Amino acid sequence: MDVYVDGKLVPKDEASISVFDHGLLYGDGIFEGIRAYNGRVFRLDEHLHRLYIGLKVIKLHLAHTPQELKDLVIKTLRHNGMRDAYIRLVITRGKGDLGIDPRNCKVPTVIIITDKITLYPPELYEKGLPLVTVVARRNNPEALNPKVKSLNYLNNILGRLEANAVGAGEGLMLNQDGYVAEATADNIFVVERYAGRMRLRTPPSYVGALEGITRGAIMELAPQLGYEVLETPFTRHGIWAAEEAFLTGTGAEIIPVATLDGRPVGDGAVGPVTKEIMREFKALVSREGTPIFPEEEGTLPRTAAVSGVRTHQ
Ligand code: PXG
């Protein structure tokens, strides 16, 4: 597997950047985690959109246009002959000197890694994962907005260390006011019963959550399946009171939550709404996406939609 770095594709063991790169020295940069399923990159334009907004916020000017970057991602996947991949796109401020001033960095570093995917163990998708509330609060949006997928992940890593210490699958992060923000690397949804029907709720991004691409896909998909989605703040009470809860992320996809802080969510089993959303999300990723090998289009059988839900593209 070759890695794209600084304009070249090099074997992964030789891929390197300078120790003076400000991505390393200060976490000064933006990244994306993207998935390819069976020869198609899921929501590549949405990932690039989020990336370019992040770059704009941190005033990191990249000479590449989104289309050029998109072409480079596809080129790297084609070069490596990869149909299923976890793609890590990293843009750093580039090489500078030992001062934090970004003006020392003349050329941004562009890295594209296309690797295999490591998933949560399959039994967690069948039984749900144990989630624990961590003491570390999610970054205050006034300090570093969690909407920016920056190379500064220490806030989340501190949360993950707490979750790991008690053997939990993920850590639930609250914001400064005690509202549920997100998990350390995933967004959260609850399924609640209201007026005899089930509906979904997820924290709005202003509470302190990344606007996840998977979250966005679920917010589009759920209404097509007849579930209203509310984007309003809730505390842990909203999880205690919920029938079901699940996490969403590019790596995890949709993963059910079995317990919060040792207490079952709903009846503790994976609920029917979560199961339906998991199934429909699988169908969605297999029917849409940017083709890596467009010459195959029309010859490849596209997996049929499970429920005939409208396609995105
Ligand atoms: N919140 C945070 C803090 C994240 O880092 C998500 C939510 C979900 O967003 P997406 O756009 O992926 O639906 C993320 C994404 C990993 C890994 O290797 C983490 C993410 C994505 C891919 C892999 O742990 N986090």
Side-chain angles (χ1 to χ4, degrees):
M1 191 265 286
D2 288 352
V3 171
Y4 179 92
V5 54
D6 281 338
K8 288 189 289 283
L9 281 156
V10 290
K12 73 171 187 184
D13 295 334
E14 290 164 31
S16 60
I17 59 159
S18 165
V19 293
F20 291 95
D21 194 298
H22 280 208
L24 171 70
L25 291 176
Y26 303 113
D28 188 353
I30 305 287
F31 78 102
E32 278 298 322
I34 311 168
R35 285 277 287 271
Y37 295 89
N38 190 28
R40 291 192 180 88
V41 185
F42 185 64
R43 304 225 159 165
L44 181 53
D45 291 327
E46 285 85 342
H47 280 283
L48 288 169
H49 180 70
R50 185 170 69 185
L51 177 84
Y52 274 83
I53 287 179
L55 292 172
K56 194 168 162 186
V57 169
I58 70 162
K59 289 187 85 177
L60 198 166
H61 177 73
L62 189 64
H64 305 66
T65 64
Q67 184 61 46
E68 284 165 356
L69 212 49
K70 186 173 177 176
D71 292 345
L72 284 174
V73 169
I74 300 294
K75 180 179 141 180
T76 308
L77 288 162
R78 284 176 74 89
H79 174 87
N80 289 323
M82 293 183 85
R83 312 185 59 81
D84 291 276
Y86 175 65
I87 304 149
R88 172 61 54 92
L89 184 50
V90 186
I91 316 291
T92 81
R93 189 78 63 179
K95 196 169 129 186
D97 61 21
L98 291 180
I100 67 162
D101 197 331
R103 287 175 298 188
N104 296 323
C105 308
K106 302 296 176 216
V107 188
T109 304
V110 177
I111 303 167
I112 304 169
I113 308 170
T114 59
D115 207 349
K116 287 198 275 299
I117 307 137
T118 26
L119 298 170
Y120 280 112
E123 60 268 22
L124 287 187
Y125 290 87
E126 283 150 31
K127 298 206 176 86
L129 62 66
L131 182 67
V132 290
T133 311
V134 297
V135 176
R137 295 290 169 108
R138 191 71 181 97
N139 271 339
N140 186 333
E142 306 280 323
L144 172 57
N145 200 313
K147 283 188 194 183
V148 175
K149 203 164 161 61
S150 85
L151 294 178
N152 278 277
Y153 252 54
L154 275 176
N155 177 220
N156 311 61
I157 291 165
L158 287 172
R160 184 63 71 90
L161 286 170
E162 289 184 55
N164 291 351
V166 294
E170 248 289 23
L172 180 71
M173 302 189 82
L174 310 178
N175 73 1
Q176 293 300 318
D177 302 321
Y179 286 102
V180 170
E182 58 180 337
T184 69
D186 300 289
N187 291 112
I188 184 162
F189 283 81
V190 292
V191 180
E192 54 189 37
R193 190 184 296 279
Y194 180 74
R197 295 169 63 168
M198 298 297 222
R199 70 180 183 193
L200 269 55
R201 190 191 294 269
T202 191
S205 66
Y206 65 76
V207 169
L210 182 75
E211 287 173 323
I213 304 300
T214 322
R215 171 185 181 272
I218 299 309
M219 288 172 79
E220 248 176 65
L221 192 60
Q224 296 172 17
L225 301 170
Y227 303 112
E228 187 190 358
V229 184
L230 303 179
E231 203 181 357
T232 50
F234 55 91
T235 61
R236 285 197 307 169
H237 170 88
I239 307 178
W240 302 136
E243 304 287 323
E244 306 174 25
F246 58 85
L247 307 180
T248 65
T250 297
E253 300 178 330
I254 317 296
I255 188 151
V257 175
T259 58
L260 174 63
D261 301 325
R263 201 203 275 203
V265 174
D267 65 6
V270 180
V273 178
T274 303
K275 278 188 186 156
E276 183 184 358
I277 298 222
M278 288 168 80
R279 203 166 53 235
E280 293 293 342
F281 183 74
K282 272 218 176 319
L284 180 71
V285 298
S286 68
R287 71 171 176 262
E288 69 167 43
T290 306
I292 302 168
F293 306 98
E295 62 276 17
E296 288 178 0
E297 288 296 293
T299 61
L300 265 185
R302 290 190 92 149
T303 314
V306 170
S307 68
V309 164
R310 241 179 341 108
T311 54
H312 174 69
Q313 286 175 334

